[in-house]
Amino acid sequence: MKLLKTTLALAIGFTSANVLANDTITVEDIPKIKSVIQTAVSPDGEHVAFTRSLPRELYVEENGLNYSELYVVDDEGSERPYITGKVNIKSISWSADGKDIYFLAKMADDKHTALYHIPVDGGQAQQVMALKDRSISSYELSPNGKQVALLAMPAKDKSEKELKKLGFMAEVYELGLDDKQLHIVDLAKSDKPLSPDAIAIKGYVSDMNYSANGEKLLVKTQPTALIDDKYTKSQWHLFDIASKQVTMSFKTEGKLDGAELSHDGRYVAILGAEDKHDPATGRLFLADTESGEIKEWLPNFMGHISDFEWSNNSNTLNFVAQVSPESFIGQIKVGSGKYKKLVKEGKFIAGSLSISDSDKTIALRANTAKHPNEVFMVRGTKATRLSDSNPWLNDKRFAKQEALTFKARDGVEIGGVLVYPLDYEEGKRYPLIMAVHGGPESHDKNGWTTSYSDPGQMGAARGYAVFYPNYRGSTGKGVDYSKLGQNDYAGKEFDDLVDMKQYLVDMGLVDTNRVGITGGSYGGYASAWGATKLTEHFAASVMFVGVTNQLSKFGTTDISNEMYLVHARSYPWEKWQWYLERSPIYWAGQSKTPLLIMHGKDDPRVHPAQSMELYRYMKVQGKDVRLVYYPGEGHGNRKVAAQYDYSLRLMRWMDNYLMDGNKEMPAFEIDHAAKLKAVKDAKKQD
């Protein structure tokens, strides 16, 4: 009966959300949140083109990913829609003269993604070109606007589809994979799909970038399409367009991200790893195209560079640095090892940059504790927010949020981001949800903390303290710190979680008996560890796409080489018992923590069997455990219905044990049928 009342209340709350005033963020608000995806500043620096996510309407629209709409905003914040509705616009860029915006999309009856443009001064979007029987995955306009470099997978043999219908569908695992190819074609409107010849570059081409004079391309390759090769074997090359030859290759070791040529073509900035054991691409390198010398530009930088772009008129690099848990925008000149900060920490959490021709305007997406990603413009040292994707958030009350730093039991500095309960009263103890990030080569930032799997402000509005721990092994504090968890699965890195919990208890905020833990991927591993090995510290756990058996994880993931290089630093057969004892299944028998497991059924990174293993180990021993699979989802839920269902189950599990103090598991059903009826009835009344 209690579940029925709760379900009906949720359904009523959902249908009346637009009628009843509500000044707090609820679980029903999360599926409505929009955010800016990409920004591109116009050549004159007066406008910013951007794409914004548009969530599908729950219980109304067919299952699928969010839509992506195209807008333009001027430097005073006046916004104009260009392409909106049920569309998916991506990879936007301005023409050199600033008269058109180019983008990739499938429009109207397109079967494959094609290149489009739309006039800035008005008019309909028009297809520029398409490839025959295949999609364009990415493109780069030449600086003079006469050519375009395209990346695309080769077209499938027509007999393949016919043979599939006849039942010939055998797959040889990790063999017979196609390489993504590079094409360079004239940028002229074509009424017929093109079949251009691929440029003869060995391997799978994953990225490219034009030089300022349009004579060269930076081309990034990897040996095969395998994700492990992308992580551990990628390389940047300098490609001469006239001769169609690679003239120089840049030797870096380990993970590799973006690269860009300076305005005069002399230097290449590369975002990569310090060595093959560095878990993240946060090191900034500078390569000389004349000597071939490559060196780390900011050695020992105690943070991680996440994006950069050269100035157009000088050898000056503009960059975004993530310094846990904040970020700043910096600028550094060739020949110098010192940078200056254009926008200091504490203003926002910055994303990727885009720079005007004059170098006077920088556009970017950024978020804060009170809003998800929006369009920002930086001129000089002044940053201005230009967009407001969720005006309804302006009427919401936000809980206090702050970054914390303290010492672990062995003296290592740890910390994280704390969201206090809304209407927090000093001296009162509250239940805590500890939301652990994945990776572990990642870190939580002191910005927007609320999503379908992260309670953030929604949890705070329900009376929880929510803490995002940046345990050792997290990024944002330099390479050495990010390596602290290597060769110690679930060791000191997860002991940090206990120390963090105790710190919050000692400060008088948290009730030690009402602490829940949740997280996805490596955070799911932490949640499973919290429910088994560290069971005495956590009263409830929700594990998402998490690791439960380190032995079978190695044999079923698509990143086994990456696991060896930047996490385990050993192979399972070298210390079999150690791997077993660092697996939650080994400790399942001692669990006293109710565990909810959720997993995408098509996850290539952490096989769904990982969740099944822990479920079975706990179930047969009479533990409180539940397993929920999401068909069609991978390593994280991407579609709105699965995300919403996840949010409901996450919060119901935590409420059941931490708020209501129940001993029995909540019912497994969620009455989506009642919600569907409520939505239909509400639309009839409209």
Side-chain angles (χ1 to χ4, degrees):
M1 182 60 71
K2 184 174 182 180
L3 173 66
L4 178 60
K5 289 180 180 178
T6 302
T7 304
L8 289 175
L10 282 170
I12 293 170
F14 179 79
T15 58
S16 60
N18 295 324
V19 179
L20 299 177
N22 192 330
D23 65 352
T24 64
I25 296 176
T26 71
V27 71
E28 308 298 339
D29 291 322
I30 295 176
K32 299 185 298 182
I33 294 172
K34 302 176 183 179
S35 65
V36 169
I37 305 168
Q38 183 191 356
T39 58
V41 69
S42 61
D44 63 8
E46 300 299 315
H47 296 82
V48 181
F50 68 95
T51 53
R52 173 186 285 147
S53 66
L54 175 66
R56 294 186 183 232
E57 189 176 356
L58 280 171
Y59 301 107
V60 175
E61 296 189 75
E62 289 187 5
N63 192 33
L65 304 177
N66 287 354
Y67 301 111
S68 175
E69 303 178 311
L70 176 64
Y71 292 82
V72 174
V73 62
D74 65 22
D75 58 358
E76 295 183 352
S78 178
E79 187 178 300
R80 178 181 171 187
Y82 273 68
I83 305 175
T84 60
K86 298 181 179 181
V87 294
N88 284 289
I89 309 300
K90 60 182 181 179
S91 303
I92 56 175
S93 61
W94 291 82
S95 61
D97 59 12
K99 294 181 179 180
D100 295 274
I101 299 170
Y102 286 81
F103 60 91
L104 294 178
K106 284 198 289 187
M107 308 284 282
D109 297 325
D110 290 345
K111 292 183 179 180
H112 303 282
T113 301
L115 179 64
Y116 281 82
H117 75 122
I118 186 169
V120 176
D121 292 337
Q124 296 295 315
Q126 296 182 339
Q127 187 182 108
V128 178
M129 65 179 63
L131 298 181
K132 187 175 181 181
D133 298 327
R134 53 191 172 138
S135 291
I136 299 172
S137 63
S138 61
Y139 72 97
E140 179 85 5
L141 300 175
S142 66
N144 62 11
K146 294 182 179 180
Q147 289 186 314
V148 58
L150 306 171
L151 293 185
M153 298 298 293
K156 296 290 186 182
D157 191 295
K158 291 184 178 180
S159 65
E160 187 173 321
K161 186 175 182 180
E162 184 178 355
L163 287 168
K164 189 174 182 179
K165 289 182 179 179
L166 295 171
F168 295 92
M169 297 178 287
E171 298 177 358
V172 182
Y173 191 59
E174 294 188 345
L175 293 178
L177 303 176
D178 292 325
D179 287 335
K180 188 177 289 185
Q181 300 171 331
L182 170 66
H183 309 273
I184 300 176
V185 299
D186 291 337
L187 186 61
K189 190 175 185 309
S190 175
D191 295 328
K192 294 183 178 180
L194 305 177
S195 298
D197 292 333
I199 302 295
I201 295 180
K202 184 179 179 180
Y204 180 104
V205 183
S206 60
D207 201 0
M208 73 286 188
N209 208 324
Y210 266 105
S211 63
N213 61 13
E215 296 176 358
K216 298 183 183 297
L217 269 178
L218 282 172
V219 178
K220 186 182 181 185
T221 66
Q222 60 193 63
T224 74
L226 294 175
I227 191 71
D228 230 351
D229 280 355
K230 174 185 176 182
Y231 281 164
T232 63
K233 299 179 182 178
S234 292
Q235 188 173 18
W236 279 103
H237 313 273
L238 191 59
F239 178 80
D240 182 76
I241 294 175
S243 65
K244 296 185 179 180
Q245 296 292 322
V246 170
T247 59
M248 183 176 291
S249 296
F250 301 102
K251 294 184 188 251
T252 57
E253 186 180 53
K255 293 185 177 180
L256 196 59
D257 204 337
E260 185 177 333
L261 281 153
S262 61
H263 81 107
D264 60 1
R266 172 69 187 272
Y267 301 100
V268 181
I270 299 173
L271 195 58
E274 186 175 87
D275 55 44
K276 64 183 178 181
H277 300 302
D278 186 349
T281 55
R283 301 301 95 193
L284 179 61
F285 293 89
L286 183 66
D288 190 321
T289 61
E290 292 185 2
S291 67
E293 180 187 11
I294 181 170
K295 62 181 180 180
E296 190 171 351
W297 200 346
L298 292 173
N300 303 315
F301 177 66
M302 300 304 287
H304 281 75
I305 309 299
S306 60
D307 189 51
F308 57 72
E309 186 162 337
W310 285 100
S311 295
N312 294 296
N313 302 292
S314 67
N315 285 338
T316 300
L317 191 74
N318 308 274
F319 63 90
V320 175
Q322 308 294 340
V323 182
S324 177
E326 307 289 350
S327 71
F328 69 83
I329 298 177
Q331 195 175 72
I332 187 170
K333 296 180 182 295
V334 171
S336 172
K338 296 182 179 180
Y339 57 84
K340 68 175 182 178
K341 296 180 181 179
L342 301 180
V343 181
K344 296 180 180 180
E345 296 92 335
K347 179 68 176 180
F348 46 53
I349 303 299
S352 55
L353 302 175
S354 174
I355 300 178
S356 67
D357 286 354
S358 69
D359 298 329
K360 293 181 180 179
T361 302
I362 297 176
L364 69 151
R365 69 178 190 274
N367 64 81
T368 73
K370 293 189 176 181
H371 64 77
N373 281 330
E374 296 288 1
V375 180
F376 280 77
M377 180 176 282
V378 177
R379 285 176 174 162
T381 58
K382 181 182 179 182
T384 305
R385 176 180 167 185
L386 299 181
S387 67
D388 189 0
S389 302
N390 306 281
W392 53 273
L393 282 177
N394 300 326
D395 297 324
K396 299 290 186 178
R397 292 191 300 127
F398 285 83
K400 176 184 175 182
Q401 180 173 312
E402 67 178 358
L404 298 178
T405 301
F406 45 92
K407 302 278 189 184
R409 66 188 72 173
D410 61 356
V412 171
E413 184 180 90
I414 56 177
V417 178
L418 173 64
V419 184
Y420 286 79
L422 190 64
D423 301 323
Y424 164 67
E425 299 176 23
E426 188 172 354
K428 180 179 178 180
R429 292 190 179 271
Y430 294 86
L432 169 70
I433 298 177
M434 183 176 287
V436 187
H437 69 72
E441 62 273 24
S442 175
H443 68 275
D444 283 309
K445 305 169 183 68
N446 190 19
W448 184 253
T449 59
T450 308
S451 71
Y452 78 95
S453 61
D454 290 317
Q457 292 288 338
M458 181 271 292
R462 294 166 83 110
Y464 290 98
V466 182
F467 186 66
Y468 295 90
N470 287 326
Y471 49 98
R472 70 188 70 197
S474 299
T475 53
K477 291 187 176 183
V479 176
D480 289 345
Y481 190 88
S482 69
K483 290 181 176 180
L484 287 180
Q486 292 182 0
N487 195 25
D488 190 24
Y489 277 145
K492 292 180 180 179
E493 59 185 4
F494 291 168
D495 288 343
D496 287 349
L497 305 180
V498 175
D499 292 352
M500 291 169 174
K501 171 199 166 180
Q502 192 59 46
Y503 180 87
L504 298 174
V505 171
D506 291 345
M507 67 183 281
L509 173 67
V510 169
D511 180 346
T512 190
N513 296 315
R514 293 193 293 158
V515 177
I517 184 171
T518 187
S521 193
Y522 211 85
Y525 178 31
S527 302
W529 196 249
T532 54
K533 181 64 167 68
L534 302 177
T535 185
E536 70 271 22
H537 299 288
F538 299 99
S541 177
V542 177
M543 175 190 116
F544 189 35
V545 294
V547 180
T548 71
N549 182 346
Q550 289 289 4
L551 293 169
S552 58
K553 163 66 161 53
F554 182 87
T556 56
T557 186
D558 59 353
I559 56 166
S560 56
N561 194 39
E562 193 250 7
M563 283 177 60
Y564 165 73
L565 289 172
V566 306
H567 299 306
R569 302 290 293 270
S570 64
Y571 290 112
W573 50 86
E574 294 174 341
K575 43 183 184 179
W576 191 267
Q577 185 63 26
W578 182 88
Y579 273 76
L580 179 60
E581 292 182 13
R582 296 302 174 102
S583 302
I585 58 165
Y586 187 81
W587 305 98
Q590 70 175 34
S591 176
K592 298 178 182 178
T593 305
L595 175 64
L596 172 61
I597 304 171
M598 294 190 273
H599 210 131
K601 214 168 184 180
D602 298 328
D603 187 351
R605 188 66 30 83
V606 178
H607 197 280
Q610 288 286 304
S611 287
M612 177 68 76
E613 285 192 54
L614 184 56
Y615 171 79
R616 286 292 184 216
Y617 273 70
M618 292 186 68
K619 185 72 173 178
V620 298
Q621 297 185 75
K623 308 301 180 180
D624 287 341
V625 63
R626 177 169 297 152
L627 173 58
V628 179
Y629 277 136
Y630 289 99
E633 297 290 354
H635 197 57
N637 292 352
R638 299 179 63 200
K639 299 169 186 174
V640 66
Q643 290 183 344
Y644 178 59
D645 184 272
Y646 182 97
S647 297
L648 292 176
R649 294 182 188 278
L650 165 66
M651 296 314 301
R652 184 172 68 177
W653 196 264
M654 295 299 184
D655 286 351
N656 185 69
Y657 295 105
L658 306 183
M659 285 288 189
D660 301 336
N662 293 330
K663 301 298 182 184
E664 301 295 324
M665 288 189 290
F668 69 88
E669 304 95 342
I670 290 182
D671 197 349
H672 289 296
K675 292 174 177 286
L676 175 63
K677 183 178 184 302
V679 170
K680 287 183 175 180
D681 290 345
K683 285 192 173 291
K684 288 178 182 179
Q685 294 175 5
D686 292 342

